[in-house]
Amino acid sequence: MSLDRRAFLARAAALLAAPRVAFAGDALPTARRFVFIIQRGAADGLHTLIPTADPHYARLRGALAIDPETALKLDGSFGLHPSLATLHGLYQAGQASFVHAIASPYRERSHFDGQNILETGGRTPFAVKDGWMNRLVGMLSQRGRDAIAFAPTVPMALRGALAVPSYAPSGLPDANEDLMQRVAQLYAHDAELHALWSAALEARGMAGGADPRARRQAPGELGRMAAGFLARADGPRIAMIDTGGWDTHTGQGGRLAAQLRNLDALVGGLRQGLGPAWMDTVVLVATEFGRTAAANGTGGTDHGTGAAAMLLGGAVQGGRVLADWPGLAPADLFEGRDLRPTLGLDTLIAQACAETFRLDPGRMARTLFPDTPGGKALPQLLRS
Amino acid sequence: MMPPSIALNRFGLGARPDDRPPDDPRRWLLSQLERFDPLPAPWRALPRTPQLAAGWVAHQRALRQAPQEQRSSLREAWRDSEGQTYRAALGARVAGALQTATPFAERLVHFWANHFAVSVDKRPVTSLAGGFEADAIRPHILGRFEDLLLAAVRHPAMLVYLDQVRSTGPDSVAGRRARRRGGNNAGLNENLAREILELHTLGVRSGYTQDDVTEFARALTGWTLPQDGEEGAAPFRFAPALHEPGSRRVLGRSHAPGGEEQARAILRELATAPATAEHIARKLARHFVADEPPAALVRRLAEAFLRSGGDLPNVYRELVLAPDAWAPGPGKFKSPWDWSISSLRALGRREMPAQAAANVLNQLGQPVWRPGSPAGYGDTAAAWAAPDALLRRVEVAQRLGAQAAAMVDARTLAPQVLPASLSQATRLAIARADSPATALALLFASPDFLRR
């Protein structure tokens, strides 16, 4: 994108009346960045964060089990999948914590319901009509515009009262300035299209400096592209990155190795692109629910309950595995088939957000998860 | 929007320049159900399911038998041929939608293909997706729901996509044999059973339990693909050795042992259950009328479904005759597929090179047969109306406008594709555009054209 075009976009955006999507011109009240990476499809926590000391793991997983010798050692009880070398390095540097046997309040096994609960912060599917990240943005600033979704459309977690833009790199030629301006006029009296168009122009303007090669969507490039937005002094402070492909009913060994390698590269790209701002960043990785403790008959796993989550970033007080480990003995499994959840994902999210933005934890929990009774608090998650 | 425009756009795929607005919009729509050709010219040139399935099975065998060092070149050659098969089918789908004289029926094909979604992000589906639409969907959209359901879930694309092919009953002959050998790589996979209950029939939260899923999955064991050396055989096979013996209890009802018939009996019950009627009625009403369809309309369609035992034309007739379906406001924000097809139809295009069509739909966020989830693509504005997505449509509109400007005058075209329904703002914007290309781009990017 040429400088002329950027200048045009700024002008075009300025021409449009409110609601103007602004990533805040003045200094934001915080330097902290919060990134939520969603793993759609129920990522297998037992394949990601390996319970190397649990005697039942190898039996349940059979050929799918990750050999404790090849797992990247974390502590005496857990290891990481071998594809997660960057995350392992962060752990060793005290910038990554891993959480196990964690779950949202959802106890059924539908992806679509599970994702809705994870994203809205409700206790039953489709009961809450906006997303917890949108409400989080609302707590942060009067302007309330400092969030972005790196996805072709705005995911449920960021939908709600505040307009949030989405951005995904495109391989299309840019539209010409005259057409852009005429379209803006044409949408002036259409509330829905006007708001979408203003947000689109603003986001494109901000991506002006991004490497066009980021359009290739390689995970590392995606991370660096997202970091390009977040690293700016006037950039968004909250972002969501959508990842899919975690539903592994068959051929899980190879597929998850590739998925996890991509996640590892995505986080690596974020860290690299953020530069010094990485020290102010918290990345939370979570999925809608876990998978069955035992492998199924087709080299995969089916929909389950307890899962793993991750907290990454320079602001994290890392080097820990947080798990109230329930065990994998037959009697310890949830409904005889799943890892039993012992920690609330709601609790982790609310506490991580409260510590990130230094807001009252009680108020944060009530705003993000209005229907959830407070769970047991976790130890302090971030550096103070 | 006026009724002729509603018929063309909300129920159809957009007008072609040679279309005349229908004098009797309802009759025009219903008559299409009599005239629909399940296999129109663009589709006739394609290989059909038996051939596609046999090709895949043969490839698997060749791979197993080849010496290790030749396997990667075999895989590469197969990937190329898969890609060609996929692109040819994609081209036929686009051409079919552009040429059809029965766009309402064609839209029903797209609706049902998305209801029974398969996705080419699972590799073997790549070559089978076109055959799925040609053989499992197209011939059945005007029949009974039960037959459509059976055709869809027994198609190799679905069996592969939802991991059914190797699902093995623990006490089946194959299951016991595997246990004796000490392997644990033969067992139940409940993916297909779950998605049939959740997505294809009853709908989520309609009262079934995990036990129902597991029992149904046991009944489905044995439903699989043809075996090695069975080229020329039907693409569906029941393998007794994989089937879990015994009777099954699903949704409170017992089903006697019966091999292949056992799962069929369960599917028959699911196909006519009240929850299924409600689920299908709501999805149809949402697709054609509004993101939140009127409750009375949904009830009316569900009743027609139940009354007729799931006879689909009965349900479509209720939909077309329902006054709720003709509300003048634009009810729906077009999906990328709808928008691309209606733009190309407006330009009088009869086909588009498959690679170009694939690129456009990828960029707009709705690649053909690749929803990435068995739930299919979302069918509401929330799924499609997003800032970046809108910007991309404007970019595509610009390109389409530039390509067609020499032949098409947007000032004449606009009232043709939106008969008696073009807004003053859009008409003015088109009239004031500084070039024919910009005028066309503005028509396609206009609020009137983005919605249906």
Side-chain angles (χ1 to χ4, degrees), chain B residues 154-446:
Chain B
R154 289 157 67 92
H155 192 277
M158 186 66 85
L159 295 172
V160 168
Y161 180 48
L162 292 181
D163 308 307
Q164 175 63 27
V165 288
R166 287 199 296 142
S167 182
T168 310
D171 281 318
S172 66
V173 174
R176 285 199 306 268
R177 195 188 311 134
R179 250 199 324 280
R180 271 199 310 276
R181 288 184 188 155
N184 59 352
N185 60 347
L188 205 62
N189 191 307
E190 60 189 35
N191 204 13
L192 177 64
R194 178 186 308 282
E195 303 304 17
I196 289 174
L197 292 168
E198 176 177 332
L199 301 172
H200 302 158
T201 61
L202 304 177
V204 72
R205 278 167 276 122
S206 53
Y208 60 85
T209 64
Q210 175 60 40
D211 284 346
D212 291 323
V213 174
T214 312
E215 276 287 272
F216 186 21
R218 289 186 184 115
L220 280 167
T221 48
W223 285 39
T224 186
L225 300 183
Q227 220 163 7
D228 254 11
E230 275 194 84
E231 272 120 304
F236 173 83
R237 176 174 66 115
F238 178 72
L242 299 176
H243 185 67
E244 177 74 354
S247 50
R248 305 265 77 88
R249 195 167 177 79
V250 178
L251 296 159
R253 194 171 295 208
S254 276
H255 295 271
E260 177 185 353
E261 192 46 42
Q262 191 176 49
R264 264 180 179 267
I266 297 169
L267 282 167
R268 249 194 309 277
E269 288 199 3
L270 292 173
T272 49
T276 299
E278 155 85 18
H279 182 54
I280 301 300
R282 180 172 305 282
K283 280 190 75 169
L284 269 170
R286 167 171 300 145
H287 180 73
F288 282 101
V289 178
D291 290 359
E292 292 295 335
L297 176 65
V298 174
R299 204 161 47 239
R300 182 171 171 163
L301 300 187
E303 278 164 9
F305 187 102
L306 284 177
R307 207 168 44 234
S308 66
D311 180 60
L312 295 170
N314 260 290
V315 184
Y316 308 150
R317 203 163 294 129
E318 285 296 318
L319 174 72
V320 168
L321 296 177
D324 284 340
W326 297 84
K332 296 289 292 182
F333 190 85
K334 287 179 184 174
S335 71
W337 168 261
D338 290 340
W339 181 82
S340 311
I341 294 297
S342 57
S343 303
L344 293 165
R345 278 175 68 89
L347 293 174
R349 297 277 291 264
R350 296 183 62 81
E351 49 195 31
M352 188 175 191
Q355 191 58 56
N359 289 346
V360 165
L361 286 156
N362 283 345
Q363 293 298 343
L364 294 177
Q366 195 180 17
V368 176
W369 298 312
R370 192 172 196 167
S373 145
Y377 283 112
D379 202 8
T380 58
W384 303 119
D388 202 61
L390 184 59
L391 194 47
R392 292 185 191 200
R393 284 196 196 187
V394 173
E395 289 165 356
V396 173
Q398 172 178 254
R399 203 158 44 165
L400 290 176
Q403 287 165 1
M407 288 89 72
V408 186
D409 186 334
R411 290 167 299 182
T412 331
L413 183 61
Q416 269 179 324
V417 297
L418 295 158
S421 301
L422 186 65
S423 72
Q424 182 67 357
T426 300
R427 198 186 61 77
L428 270 178
I430 291 171
R432 288 175 185 164
D434 66 343
S435 71
T438 301
L440 268 179
L442 284 169
L443 168 60
F444 297 143
S446 70

Side-chain angles (χ1 to χ4, degrees), chain A residues 42-379:
Chain A
D44 186 358
L46 290 172
H47 205 107
T48 307
L49 188 49
I50 323 298
T52 46
D54 194 302
H56 298 281
Y57 172 74
R59 172 185 61 82
L60 285 164
R61 287 307 173 100
L64 262 193
I66 302 288
D67 181 353
E69 293 301 311
T70 64
L72 307 172
K73 189 174 162 56
L74 296 174
D75 61 11
S77 306
F78 296 95
L80 273 187
H81 188 282
S83 293
L84 296 172
T86 306
L87 299 193
H88 189 241
L90 291 177
Y91 175 90
Q92 288 172 323
Q95 296 185 355
S97 293
F98 301 99
V99 191
H100 221 323
I102 191 163
S104 83
Y106 185 60
R107 289 292 172 272
E108 304 300 321
R109 297 182 177 88
S110 152
H111 291 305
F112 319 109
D113 282 358
Q115 285 169 25
N116 182 270
I117 286 193
L118 170 59
E119 296 189 68
T120 60
R123 284 187 73 78
T124 49
F126 298 93
V128 174
K129 301 297 181 198
D130 58 357
W132 64 262
M133 293 189 77
N134 197 285
R135 299 194 294 277
L136 170 65
V137 179
M139 291 176 80
L140 273 197
S141 76
Q142 294 303 310
R143 294 174 298 274
R145 305 277 189 209
D146 40 5
I148 188 165
F150 294 106
T153 59
V154 180
M156 187 63 229
L158 273 166
R159 292 188 204 160
L162 301 168
V164 170
S166 72
Y167 178 78
S170 148
L172 293 171
D174 295 328
N176 72 47
E177 298 186 6
D178 173 70
L179 178 61
M180 302 284 273
Q181 215 146 13
R182 286 171 192 272
V183 168
Q185 282 164 12
L186 189 52
Y187 293 168
H189 299 292
D190 186 300
E192 181 188 33
L193 295 175
H194 173 68
L196 295 173
W197 189 248
S198 325
L201 293 187
E202 192 75 26
R204 278 277 157 113
M206 188 159 286
D211 183 344
R213 276 169 302 182
R215 294 175 171 192
R216 294 273 168 261
Q217 285 281 330
E221 287 300 328
L222 176 64
R224 277 184 283 278
M225 183 276 293
F229 283 73
L230 291 160
R232 291 167 63 120
D234 64 347
R237 286 295 180 265
I238 294 178
M240 177 164 172
I241 301 177
D242 224 310
T243 69
W246 299 94
D247 194 18
T248 48
H249 291 276
T250 53
Q252 172 168 318
R255 287 167 61 196
L256 268 193
Q259 286 285 112
L260 292 168
R261 217 168 18 250
N262 287 346
L263 177 69
D264 201 63
L266 171 64
V267 174
L270 266 175
R271 180 186 55 172
Q272 196 190 28
L274 279 165
W278 174 254
M279 292 314 288
D280 288 315
T281 298
V282 178
V283 181
L284 195 152
V285 185
T287 189
E288 68 261 25
F289 48 72
R291 307 193 72 83
T292 45
N296 65 17
T298 52
T301 51
D302 293 315
H303 300 180
T305 309
M310 309 176 182
L311 218 47
L312 319 163
V316 173
Q317 187 174 323
R320 293 180 297 172
V321 179
L322 305 166
D324 179 359
W325 188 244
L328 294 173
D332 295 329
L333 297 179
F334 177 72
E335 294 186 348
R337 55 182 262 154
D338 304 340
L339 175 61
R340 180 179 301 282
T342 53
L343 295 170
L345 190 49
D346 296 4
T347 309
L348 176 71
I349 293 173
Q351 191 174 324
C353 289
E355 289 186 34
T356 300
F357 297 113
R358 300 186 175 91
L359 293 170
D360 173 61
R363 192 165 78 87
M364 182 64 77
R366 283 191 302 277
T367 307
L368 269 43
F369 304 100
D371 303 325
T372 305
K376 50 185 166 184
L378 297 160

